[in-house]
């Protein structure tokens, strides 16, 4: 071995460290696992496809709006709609602390409202305290772009997830599809 060159064990460790760093450089961050743009878009598009509505795409401007609002709710995790009336449609989700609440969790909760929506009469027969409005926004025909965000709220308040829709939907008296 040449003077000044690392010994085999040191060289092997350096190679291993370099390999781990290379993997970490291309791996998504831990907090984005199951909460990437596609993790929001795919279940939306699945629900939309089920009723013959075209797909939505991810929009960075709408996503920035969603993230800014989610950041505002991080301190209290309250299900209070933003002041986006007219600009974007909006769905909100809250999951209790300790749960593994993901993009799929939120979209599945909204889509589960389909059971109460009657497309033929364009009415909702949801039990008290429930609605169909989250579902109809997910499948609203003219909404073609979404942006969503997820934050873990302070303390033990849980997880807050929001999706915004452009153009907005859920107009009274209009059918979503």
């Amino acid at each position: 071995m040449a003077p000044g060159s690392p010994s085999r064990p040191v060289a092997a460790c350096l190679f291993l460290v370099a390999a781990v760093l290379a993997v970490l450089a291309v791996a998504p961050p831990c907090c984005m696992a199951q909460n990437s743009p596609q993790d929001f878009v795919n279940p939306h598009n699945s629900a939309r496809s089920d009723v013959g509505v075209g797909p939505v795409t991810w929009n960075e401007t709408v996503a920035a709006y969603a993230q800014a609002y989610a950041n505002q709710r991080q301190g209290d995790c309250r299900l209070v709609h933003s002041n986006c009336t007219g600009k974007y449609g909006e769905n909100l989700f809250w999951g209790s602390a300790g749960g593994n609440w993901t993009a799929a969790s939120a979209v599945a909760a909204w889509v589960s409202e389909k059971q109460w929506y009657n497309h033929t009469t364009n009415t909702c027969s949801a039990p008290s305290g429930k609605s169909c409005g989250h579902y109809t926004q997910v499948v609203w025909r003219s909404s073609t772009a979404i942006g969503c965000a997820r934050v873990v709220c302070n303390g033990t308040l849980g997880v807050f997830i929001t999706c915004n829709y452009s153009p907005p939907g859920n107009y009274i008296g209009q059918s979503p599809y």
Side-chain angles (χ1 to χ4, degrees):
M1 202 175 298
S5 66
S7 65
R8 269 195 197 273
V10 171
C13 287
L14 290 174
F15 174 77
L16 181 58
V17 168
V20 168
L21 290 174
V23 168
L24 291 176
V26 296
C30 66
C31 57
M32 286 300 291
Q34 302 176 353
N35 298 299
S36 72
Q38 279 312 119
D39 291 325
F40 285 102
V41 169
N42 291 345
H44 272 84
N45 286 340
S46 178
R48 294 170 69 86
S49 175
D50 287 348
V51 295
V53 176
V56 292
T57 58
W58 188 260
N59 180 287
E60 288 297 333
T61 301
V62 181
Y65 180 89
Q67 187 65 61
Y69 188 65
N71 291 345
Q72 290 178 32
R73 295 272 59 101
Q74 192 167 13
D76 61 19
C77 224
R78 291 180 52 218
L79 289 176
V80 176
H81 282 281
S82 70
N83 194 14
C84 66
T85 307
K87 185 174 185 175
Y88 300 124
E90 185 172 68
N91 278 341
L92 304 177
F93 173 88
W94 172 81
S96 60
N100 184 25
W101 306 108
T102 64
S105 306
V107 182
W110 300 328
V111 171
S112 74
E113 295 176 0
K114 180 180 183 177
Q115 64 187 311
W116 301 307
Y117 178 68
N118 182 325
H119 180 64
T120 304
T121 61
N122 193 33
T123 59
C124 180
S125 62
S128 180
K130 304 286 184 181
S131 78
C132 299
H134 302 101
Y135 169 70
T136 55
Q137 179 59 80
V138 167
V139 298
W140 199 267
R141 175 188 309 115
S142 62
S143 294
T144 57
I146 65 169
C148 306
R150 175 188 182 276
V151 294
V152 175
C153 298
N154 297 346
T156 58
L157 297 176
V159 171
F160 179 89
I161 297 174
T162 180
C163 282
N164 290 99
Y165 302 81
S166 181
N170 277 345
Y171 294 107
I172 295 172
Q174 293 184 21
S175 175
Y177 54 90

